[in-house]
């Protein structure tokens, strides 16, 4: 007979007490291996440390009692649908009942005189206290009370699997497999950060001995979760940088200087200046830049992007600016190409809707290097696109592309610098996790002279007043957006937008009304935008197409219908379309919040114009995956860590992880840690193990 050696990767069915049906139930909890069982952390605990005498049971509380069985009774209701097992118990001073429903054969477990421990909720029935469906243990005469009186874990529930069973399975796994889990944190790190030992933390998290000890254990395990992710991100960043060093290049040359001195139409804000500084210093290094530029809607990211592009040109490289939608790409082109032209820089627009011949011309120009700057959509990633010497690629409104997506530009020679920009203010905690391998610049503060936006919520009954208000603003020469209730561009929603457009045209025809939605042919979309920009139309009825980046300074009113259906960050994006010039903006949410929660959300939104605070609120309400579109990636599915509550530990873990990888880029001195990182994150971070 060969003796099998236990291994953490053993399937759960190797654990004593787990058969095929339990195996299926455990799979529902995401538990497939013995190790998964160890890391199935309790969601809550039940404190069974204080024993209550039967004479002082209090209804409505969960209680632990130890008593003797006095009598057992089994009854079936008239229609035999429900069986009821009742046990009468006594502890010498008081009496109580315990009842269970539909537990076949349970009556045979108890007989009079037996000593039992019960844990459950107390109810009062006909003046008699009773424990409803309590958990129980039959005690031997010499069983001490000590062991029973503990803090007991409550694991995530799944149909058919009793807590008691699950507890026994996890307990068995802890005995058999926990000794195989090796400490992977270096001792020096644990001592410096006062982190307890791993197996100790694991034991304590399942069976806490005190609140203090539990806290210590949790801190260690939260640290681990963050630390492993950060170490993985640090490794990924190292590898991205290493093989593709670039020649250092000039970045503060003729073009940047000319633009700053002669063309810049305003003074940069402090935030813009420091972002430009971060970017230019990155671009002076030989390693490719990997930077995230965050700035609330309207904070002025475009000009920062422009200066970065000019810096790339000063280094005699090409630059590319990628936008998520055709409208936005065209808007950028419209605004930026005059600057490039004035500086004598050839620049082109590349989008999916160009004709074949035009596309070929752009491809040729990029390949030969004749075109120095290209602004475009996804079309920039097409087969035919290849740059002569791409120096900088900028991705605008990155969140629209999916957070973890890596953009691969086909560039000859060395890797380009990459700058990604986002206006969805991502809470710092999330930045550190999902964008953990990027450097971050934040533009805080707005350009001066903004009058701000007043936000209010009104019920649909008040629509006539809203229309009167719009008329006043039109008289003052201002413009307005009207966002129709649309989440998906389904046909019925489109019909709603079209119908709304007709209503509003009847009302405001004299001021010019335009319609914009995703299904319009491009030429019409463009005309709708252009008419609105030039003032031919004062009111633009639209689906959420305008959410991203559109910039028309004369627009002062934003009406959003059925606003409760939008995420707060999305509403904030919409609101960011107005109040861009120097007139006050008005955001009017038309909605009937039907739950206290939605009312709270709308109120919170009306009273705050801080994009970061709003994003934090969204994060709390909807979870990180929803907010940043990373739900599928698994990177933010922490088992124990809480992004909002554990920010302090996150910062600590990040600093330690990046420092460690900085000193030892492949973690050769800490092989157990390296193994652990690959084991936990290798797949989701696409890390390739190097020999
Ligand atoms: P976003 O960060 O949302 O992309 P934009 O780059 O579109 O913002 O800028 C919003 C508006 O603010 C634009 O009309 C732009 O010309 C203007 N702007 C940007 N920076 C400044 C500044 N430093 N002073 C005054 N206006 C500015
Ligand atoms: Mg923008």
């Amino acid at each position: 007979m060969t003796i099998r050696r236990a291994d953490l990767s053993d399937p759960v069915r190797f654990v004593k007490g787990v058969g095929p049906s339990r195996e299926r139930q455990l799979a529902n909890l995401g538990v497939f291996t013995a190790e998964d069982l160890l890391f199935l952390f309790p969601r809550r605990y039940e404190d069974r440390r204080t024993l209550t005498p039967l004479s002082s049971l209090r209804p409505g509380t969960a209680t632990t009692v130890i008593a003797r069985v006095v009598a057992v009774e089994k009854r079936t209701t008239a229609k035999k649908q429900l069986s009821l097992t009742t046990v009468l118990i006594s502890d010498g001073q008081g009496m109580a009942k315990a009842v269970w429903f539909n537990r076949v054969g349970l009556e045979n477990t108890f007989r009079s005189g037996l000593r039992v421990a019960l844990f459950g909720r107390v109810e009062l029935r006909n003046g008699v206290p009773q424990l409803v469906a309590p958990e129980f243990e039959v005690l031997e005469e010499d069983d001490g009370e000590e062991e029973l009186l503990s803090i007991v874990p409550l694991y995530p529930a799944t149909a058919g699997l009793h807590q008691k069973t699950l507890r026994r399975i996890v307990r068995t796994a802890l005995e058999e497999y926990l000794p195989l889990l090796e400490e992977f944190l270096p001792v020096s790190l644990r001592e410096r950060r006062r982190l307890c030992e791993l197996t100790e933390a694991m034991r304590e998290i399942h069976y806490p001995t005190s609140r203090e000890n539990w806290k210590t254990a949790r801190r260690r395990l939260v640290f681990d979760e963050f630390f492993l992710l950060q170490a993985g991100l640090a490794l990924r960043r190292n590898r991205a940088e290493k093989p593709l060093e670039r020649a250092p290049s000039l970045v503060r040359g003729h073009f940047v200087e000319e633009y700053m001195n002669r063309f810049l139409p305003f003074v940069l804000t402090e935030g813009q200046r420091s972002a430009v500084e971060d970017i230019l210093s990155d671009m002076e290094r030989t390693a490719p830049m990997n930077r995230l530029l965050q700035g609330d809607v309207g904070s002025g990211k475009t000009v920062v992007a422009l200066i970065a592009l000019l810096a790339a040109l000063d280094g005699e490289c090409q630059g590319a600016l990628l936008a998520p939608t055709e409208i936005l790409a065209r808007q950028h082109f419209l605004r930026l190409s005059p600057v490039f032209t004035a500086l004598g820089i050839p620049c082109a627009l590349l989008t999916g809707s160009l004709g074949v011949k035009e596309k070929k011309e752009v491809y040729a120009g990029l390949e030969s290097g004749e075109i120095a700057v290209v602004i475009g959509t996804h079309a920039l990633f097409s087969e035919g696109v290849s740059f002569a010497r791409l120096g900088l690629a900028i991705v605008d409104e990155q969140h629209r592309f999916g957070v973890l997506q890596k953009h691969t530009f086909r560039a000859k020679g060395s890797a380009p610098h990459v700058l990604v920009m986002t206006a969805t203010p991502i809470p710092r905690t999330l930045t550190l996790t999902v964008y953990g391998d990027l450097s971050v610049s934040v533009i805080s503060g707005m350009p001066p002279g903004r009058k701000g936006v007043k936000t209010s919520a009104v019920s649909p009954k008040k629509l006539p007043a809203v229309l009167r208000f719009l008329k006043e603003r039109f008289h003052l020469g201002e413009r307005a957006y009207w966002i129709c209730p649309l989440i998906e561009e389904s046909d019925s929603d489109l019909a709603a937008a079209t119908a709304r457009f007709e209503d509003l045209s009847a009302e405001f025809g004299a001021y010019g009304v335009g319609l914009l939605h995703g299904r319009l042919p491009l030429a019409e979309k463009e005309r709708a935008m252009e008419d609105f920009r030039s003032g031919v139309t004062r009111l633009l009825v639209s689906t959420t197409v305008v959410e991203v980046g559109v910039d028309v300074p004369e627009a002062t009113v934003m009406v959003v219908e059925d606003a409760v259906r939008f995420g707060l960050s999305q509403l904030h994006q919409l609101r960011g379309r107005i109040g861009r010039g120097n007139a006050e903006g008005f955001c009017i949410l038309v909605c009937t919040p039907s739950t206290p929660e939605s009312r709270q959300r709308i109120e919170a939104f009306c009273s705050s114009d801080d994009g970061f605070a709003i994003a934090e609120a969204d994060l709390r309400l909807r979870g990180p995956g929803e907010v940043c579109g990373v739900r599928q990636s698994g990177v933010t599915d922490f088992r124990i860590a809480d992004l909002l509550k554990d920010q302090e530990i996150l910062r600590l873990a990040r600093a330690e992880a990046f420092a460690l990888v900085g000193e030892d880029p492949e973690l050769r001195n800490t092989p157990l840690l390296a193994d652990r990182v690959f084991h936990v994150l290798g797949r989701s971070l696409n890390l390739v193990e190097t020999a």
Side-chain angles (χ1 to χ4, degrees):
M1 199 176 89
T2 52
I3 296 171
R4 188 186 58 85
R5 267 220 311 219
D7 189 287
L8 284 168
S9 62
D10 285 349
V12 271
R13 82 186 112 80
F14 286 16
V15 177
K16 215 167 65 210
V18 181
S21 72
R22 301 249 157 91
E23 188 176 20
R24 269 192 305 277
Q25 292 160 340
L26 286 168
N28 288 338
L29 294 172
V31 172
F32 302 96
T33 64
E35 182 179 330
D36 292 341
L37 267 180
L38 301 183
F39 283 88
L40 180 71
F41 294 134
R43 291 205 316 185
R44 288 187 299 119
Y45 301 86
E46 209 166 81
D47 191 343
R48 296 181 178 172
R49 285 176 299 177
T50 34
L51 204 56
T52 314
L54 295 185
S55 51
S56 43
L57 288 179
R58 274 190 309 153
T61 55
T63 311
T64 309
V65 303
I66 291 183
R68 281 186 195 280
V69 175
V70 177
V72 185
E73 183 196 59
K74 168 152 184 183
R75 268 192 300 134
T76 311
T77 52
K79 289 180 184 163
K80 302 221 170 191
Q81 278 165 335
L82 201 64
S83 79
L84 192 68
T85 309
T86 308
V87 174
L88 188 64
I89 51 172
S90 158
D91 64 356
Q93 283 147 338
M95 301 267 270
K97 277 181 181 175
V99 296
W100 292 267
F101 307 98
N102 291 342
R103 292 282 293 271
V104 182
L106 187 64
E107 66 278 11
N108 304 323
T109 313
F110 299 105
R111 63 192 144 64
S112 143
L114 211 59
R115 193 163 161 252
V116 291
L118 302 154
F119 323 95
R121 285 186 74 75
V122 182
E123 280 180 9
L124 212 56
R125 269 292 152 82
N126 305 323
V128 182
Q130 78 180 26
L131 289 153
V132 184
E135 266 192 47
F136 64 90
E137 243 166 86
V138 176
L139 305 179
E140 299 293 323
E141 281 311 313
D142 55 357
D143 267 348
E145 293 175 1
E146 255 335 67
E147 220 170 286
L148 288 166
L149 302 183
S150 58
I151 300 171
V152 178
L154 293 173
Y155 294 106
T158 183
L161 198 53
H162 286 288
Q163 282 294 330
K164 198 170 154 182
T165 314
L166 192 49
R167 220 173 274 145
R168 206 184 50 234
I169 294 171
V170 175
R171 231 193 154 118
T172 312
L174 282 171
E175 275 159 30
E176 255 185 80
Y177 289 92
L178 189 55
L180 302 178
L181 189 65
E182 286 179 280
E183 176 59 77
F184 53 82
L185 286 187
V187 185
S188 55
L189 169 59
R190 281 204 292 118
E191 283 175 354
R192 188 166 58 249
R193 296 306 185 184
R194 281 184 277 120
L195 295 161
C196 68
E197 202 265 325
L198 180 59
T199 41
E200 191 185 316
M202 291 295 282
R203 215 168 264 128
E204 190 70 28
I205 206 74
H206 287 282
Y207 287 92
T209 51
S210 74
R211 183 151 182 88
E212 275 316 299
N213 295 343
W214 172 81
K215 269 193 185 159
T216 310
R218 183 179 181 280
R219 183 165 167 276
R220 160 70 206 251
L221 297 171
V222 170
F223 181 89
D224 283 0
E225 248 183 326
F226 288 144
F227 182 77
L228 292 173
L229 175 58
Q230 295 297 329
L233 290 166
L235 287 173
R236 185 167 87 169
R237 178 161 86 171
N238 264 353
R239 288 176 193 176
E241 280 186 3
K242 228 183 344 185
L244 293 157
E245 297 254 310
R246 319 164 31 86
S249 61
L250 180 71
V251 299
R252 294 167 216 254
H254 167 74
F255 292 133
V256 171
E257 234 155 70
E258 275 285 288
Y259 178 73
M260 299 289 241
N261 296 336
R262 293 194 27 224
F263 292 90
L264 188 61
F266 36 63
V267 180
L268 292 183
T269 64
E270 196 44 52
Q272 286 170 321
R273 239 201 321 269
S274 76
V276 166
E277 195 43 51
D278 289 347
I279 291 165
L280 297 193
S281 347
D282 276 3
M283 290 175 71
E284 274 161 347
R285 294 169 56 225
T286 52
M289 165 170 71
N290 240 317
R291 184 169 287 277
L292 170 74
L293 176 60
Q294 276 188 274
D296 209 342
V297 205
S299 61
K301 293 180 292 298
T302 316
V303 67
V304 175
L306 172 60
I307 294 169
L309 286 171
L310 293 171
L313 299 170
D314 275 333
E316 301 192 333
C317 287
Q318 293 165 295
L321 174 58
L322 173 71
T325 65
E326 183 122 16
I327 291 195
L328 196 56
R330 279 172 189 268
Q331 177 181 280
H332 278 322
F333 188 74
L334 222 65
R335 280 167 69 186
L336 302 185
S337 59
V339 177
F340 292 126
T341 310
L343 288 165
I345 299 165
C347 105
L349 175 71
L350 181 62
T351 68
S353 64
L354 284 193
V356 179
K357 186 158 153 276
E358 293 163 296
K359 268 186 196 152
K360 285 220 167 110
E361 274 170 28
V362 178
Y363 294 167
L366 291 175
E367 180 137 29
S368 70
E370 247 165 83
I371 297 176
V373 180
V374 64
I375 296 174
T377 56
H378 278 103
L380 285 174
F381 299 128
S382 327
E383 208 54 51
V385 178
S386 159
F387 293 85
R389 39 171 206 289
L390 181 62
L392 168 69
I394 303 180
V395 182
D396 194 15
E397 309 289 353
Q398 153 80 19
H399 57 284
R400 276 308 183 97
F401 293 98
V403 172
L404 293 176
Q405 187 178 335
K406 288 264 161 203
H407 304 284
T408 14
F409 292 90
R410 261 177 279 269
K412 291 187 190 135
S414 54
H417 295 297
V418 175
L419 174 67
V420 299
M421 312 200 293
T422 179
T424 287
I426 297 158
R428 176 92 184 129
T429 44
L430 259 188
T431 316
L432 290 182
T433 50
V434 298
Y435 289 117
D437 54 347
L438 303 186
S439 325
V440 180
S441 299
V442 179
I443 303 184
S444 46
M446 288 286 163
R450 297 274 163 90
K451 289 282 188 320
V453 177
K454 275 209 180 91
T455 307
S456 53
V458 303
S459 102
K461 278 184 237 138
K462 296 270 172 62
L463 269 181
V466 174
L467 298 182
R468 276 197 302 280
F469 178 73
L470 278 180
K471 203 162 276 180
E472 280 169 34
R473 305 320 293 189
F474 294 149
H475 271 299
L476 295 170
E478 297 173 9
R479 290 169 220 172
Y481 296 97
W482 188 292
I483 307 299
C484 297
L486 174 138
I487 304 294
E488 316 280 318
E489 297 233 331
S490 72
D491 290 334
S492 62
D493 285 332
L494 277 188
T498 313
R500 190 51 97 200
F501 167 68
E502 278 159 15
D503 295 347
L504 291 167
S505 298
E507 184 80 27
F508 297 117
Y511 303 98
V513 182
L515 173 66
L516 181 64
H517 61 70
R519 297 260 190 95
L520 283 180
L522 182 72
E524 282 179 48
K525 269 192 219 168
E526 239 179 276
R527 220 197 38 232
M529 267 327 293
E530 196 37 53
D531 285 350
F532 188 61
R533 199 172 286 135
S534 66
V536 170
T537 52
R538 297 266 180 84
L539 177 63
L540 185 62
V541 180
S542 172
T543 62
T544 50
V545 188
V546 296
E547 183 197 332
V548 166
V550 172
D551 185 34
V552 178
E554 294 83 0
T556 55
V557 187
M558 167 68 62
V559 181
V560 185
E561 278 194 81
D562 207 4
V564 277
R565 283 173 63 182
F566 294 86
L568 293 187
S569 294
Q570 206 182 0
L571 284 177
H572 187 67
Q573 291 279 314
L574 286 169
R575 178 165 62 179
R577 300 301 117 221
I578 53 167
R580 305 197 130 218
N582 30 32
E584 185 172 25
F586 301 91
C587 178
I588 303 169
L589 309 177
V590 184
C591 56
T592 24
S594 51
T595 63
E597 191 243 292
S598 58
R599 203 163 313 134
Q600 212 181 336
R601 257 159 43 94
I602 295 290
E603 266 164 31
F605 182 75
C606 290
S607 61
S608 171
D609 64 353
D610 176 348
F612 281 86
I614 286 169
E616 296 262 354
D618 234 10
L619 182 65
R620 244 184 305 266
L621 291 164
R622 297 195 301 157
E626 288 292 332
V627 173
C628 291
V630 290
R631 203 166 19 142
Q632 306 304 331
S633 74
V635 172
T636 53
D637 299 342
F638 296 112
R639 286 171 192 273
I640 188 165
D642 179 322
L643 270 180
L644 290 172
K645 292 193 198 125
D646 297 320
Q647 304 190 14
E648 208 51 57
I649 307 179
L650 170 58
R651 265 185 283 276
L652 199 72
R654 179 173 165 83
E656 288 289 353
F658 274 74
L660 192 67
V661 174
E663 277 166 27
D664 180 9
E666 286 296 329
L667 296 179
R668 286 194 209 293
N669 304 329
T670 50
L672 286 175
L673 173 61
D675 285 352
R676 193 73 197 158
V677 173
F678 287 113
H679 176 63
V680 177
L681 287 149
R683 199 165 322 142
S684 53
L685 289 183
N686 250 331
L687 293 171
V688 187
E689 203 149 359
T690 54

